[in-house]
Amino acid sequence: MPIRLLIASLGNPAPYTNTLHSAGHTLLDALRLTLSYPPFVRDRSLANGLVSRDPFSPTYTLWQSPSLMNVSGKGVAAAYKSFLCDLPSDERATAQLVVLHDELEQPLGKIKMKVGGSAKGHNGIKSVVGSLGGAELVKIGVGIGRPESRDSGAVASYVLKKMTAAEVMRVRDGAQDVLRLLGQLRMRQT
């Protein structure tokens, strides 16, 4: 029986696209290209997110949150609920939600996966966890580094700055690592 994954990215809409805080969206788009999936299209049935999937191999559904990072939980939860409802009943128990997000505590481009666990101060993850009603999620963080200052204003300015071309490439280069981790996740569940 195939294991289906909804891979959701957190980030911000315009004017905050292509910022460090939207590194999850950048990574999801790189994963889409790695998988040779079609371009993202808006899907009302999945909480109005941007969706890409291969109609011939439905293992992965890629979903990009349309809302601001810190309030993305409601949309992620609605998309996951719809995703599960669309699956045959025998596949729902093994389906999994995977959330791609920016990670301040990792160096730029480093990919790290964690099953369950706390949000570690990440407001987008807090919103998702709070909206899921206890459903387990897998978090894949892409490192964006951290400013020297831990002042909240300095951190906000840092995560909302536009990525340079070199930073975008470092984030996008993580797509192969994400694909490897997704394969490991699927093997653990079989």
Side-chain angles (χ1 to χ4, degrees), residues 147 151-161:
D151 172 71
S152 62
V155 171
S157 293
Y158 177 77
V159 301
L160 293 176
K161 79 175 183 80

Side-chain angles (χ1 to χ4, degrees), residues 5-88:
L5 301 177
L6 176 64
I7 305 164
S9 66
L10 303 184
N12 283 315
Y16 302 108
T17 54
N18 301 315
T19 62
L20 289 168
H21 214 24
S22 293
H25 288 340
T26 302
L27 183 58
L28 187 69
D29 188 56
L31 182 61
R32 178 189 66 79
L33 293 171
T34 299
L35 292 167
S36 299
Y37 276 23
F40 285 103
V41 293
R42 191 149 315 275
D43 189 330
R44 294 180 68 102
S45 71
L46 290 176
N48 215 28
L50 295 175
V51 175
S52 180
R53 53 184 147 213
D54 180 346
F56 304 108
S57 176
T59 301
Y60 304 128
T61 297
L62 309 182
W63 183 86
Q64 192 177 87
S65 172
S67 67
L68 291 168
M69 165 80 74
N70 293 351
V71 293
S72 55
K74 194 180 241 183
V76 172
Y80 188 53
K81 181 179 178 182
S82 294
F83 171 77
L84 291 175
C85 287
D86 288 344
L87 295 178

Side-chain angles (χ1 to χ4, degrees), residues 161-178:
K161 79 175 183 80
K162 292 282 187 190
M163 285 190 277
T164 65
E167 289 170 330
V168 169
M169 288 309 300
R170 292 275 301 275
V171 169
R172 294 181 79 79
D173 285 346
Q176 288 292 339
D177 288 337
V178 170

